[in-house]
Amino acid sequence: MIVLKTAKDMEKIRDACKLSALALATVGEAVKPGVTTAELDKIVHKVIVSHGGKPSFLGYNGFPGSACISINDEVIHGIPSPSRVVKEGDIVSIDVGAFLNGFHGDNAYTFAAGEISEEAALLLRVTEESLYKGIEKAVPKGRLGDLGNAVESHVKQYGFAAVRDYVGHGVGRQLHEAPEVQNYGVPGRGLRLQSGMTIAIEPMINAKGSAIEVQPDGWTVLTASRSLSAHFEHTVAITDNGPVILTRV
């Protein structure tokens, strides 16, 4: 069931999104060679809790961290660990959710640790661009197929591939609500978008092929090709005046 947000709901979800964005921006400043993913996770936890919120991911279906931290060929859902050290040239995807006053905010960004390869830099740029291509299609009377096609068609130009096994989603009182927001689609097809919807648009883009593999820990998702993967995400409100990005500090 699609949950349309009232004006009061929008105020609250905006606050949750701003907190999530603050946590992501703060942890991003700490991404550098030598830091552990557990240390990064602690930063996310501290920012969210110190502002009266709760990390959305902590304990979600048993997830043990406050953030999902995925490196290089890890697509999503990397578990923070004191033994996982960020190295020079790594790309580090951090997915952060914050729960505040009854609503969630959800966002992600892939950070460069030091000097990265030209391939990695291109993947990051194109994936982030695809996010904004998708956001442009988040308008009333538009279709989810329009949005997904905008993401996929952009990354395909560079030989990259959108992950199909994991998708974006609605956001609100629940971290994951309807509808599923795919990063692929056919223009003019799919659910019609409405003012009052709040959705997480999150391209997960692999350098080589869309196939993925879930690791034995039950969480960490790798590219089947072991190529690099990038992940960018915003929570967006669909309004009569166009899309509004809620996850901005």
Side-chain angles (χ1 to χ4, degrees):
M1 181 180 71
I2 305 297
V3 180
L4 300 180
K5 310 306 187 294
T6 66
K8 284 188 176 181
D9 291 340
M10 282 293 187
E11 290 178 8
K12 291 182 178 180
I13 195 171
R14 188 186 297 271
D15 289 341
C17 286
K18 285 184 177 180
L19 178 54
S20 184
L22 175 63
L24 184 61
T26 303
V27 72
E29 295 175 356
V31 174
K32 60 187 66 176
V35 70
T36 69
T37 56
E39 290 171 331
L40 296 174
D41 190 66
K42 288 180 180 178
I43 292 171
V44 171
H45 187 276
K46 182 178 180 180
V47 171
I48 294 174
V49 172
S50 67
H51 286 79
K54 295 180 180 179
S56 298
F57 301 159
L58 186 59
Y60 184 79
N61 290 335
F63 188 76
S66 295
C68 299
I69 306 177
S70 310
I71 300 176
N72 295 334
D73 60 353
E74 297 172 349
V75 182
I76 50 173
H77 300 164
I79 298 173
S81 169
S83 63
R84 189 71 190 276
V85 181
V86 175
K87 299 176 182 178
E88 178 78 19
D90 283 346
I91 58 171
V92 184
S93 299
I94 304 180
D95 192 354
V96 175
F99 182 69
L100 181 70
N101 297 327
F103 286 87
H104 294 271
D106 192 4
N107 56 179
Y109 194 94
T110 302
F111 300 94
E115 294 294 324
I116 61 175
S117 68
E118 290 184 6
E119 178 194 31
L122 179 62
L123 178 65
L124 265 58
R125 177 176 68 79
V126 171
T127 303
E128 186 171 16
E129 287 173 352
S130 76
L131 168 60
Y132 289 96
K133 296 288 186 181
I135 290 172
E136 288 175 3
K137 300 296 183 179
V139 295
K141 299 183 180 180
R143 299 277 191 175
L144 280 177
D146 302 334
L147 192 161
N149 180 264
V151 171
E152 184 176 44
S153 61
H154 184 68
V155 303
K156 271 187 171 181
Q157 297 178 60
Y158 298 87
F160 301 147
V163 170
R164 289 177 170 246
D165 295 82
Y166 293 88
V167 297
H169 51 90
V171 185
R173 292 187 180 276
Q174 304 298 320
L175 178 60
H176 295 109
E177 298 182 346
E180 290 190 347
V181 181
Q182 299 168 333
N183 294 306
Y184 57 92
V186 178
R189 302 289 293 275
L191 180 77
R192 191 176 295 280
L193 302 174
Q194 302 177 62
S195 181
M197 294 174 66
T198 48
I199 56 176
I201 303 172
E202 50 178 320
M204 293 155 271
I205 308 300
N206 297 345
K208 296 179 182 178
S210 61
I212 55 89
E213 295 177 359
V214 180
Q215 297 308 287
D217 62 22
W219 284 104
T220 308
V221 178
L222 299 184
T223 58
S225 63
R226 298 301 186 266
S227 65
L228 296 175
S229 187
H231 180 202
F232 288 82
E233 175 185 23
H234 273 307
T235 297
V236 176
I238 298 173
T239 79
D240 291 332
N241 295 318
V244 176
I245 298 173
L246 300 176
T247 38
R248 280 183 168 158
V249 177

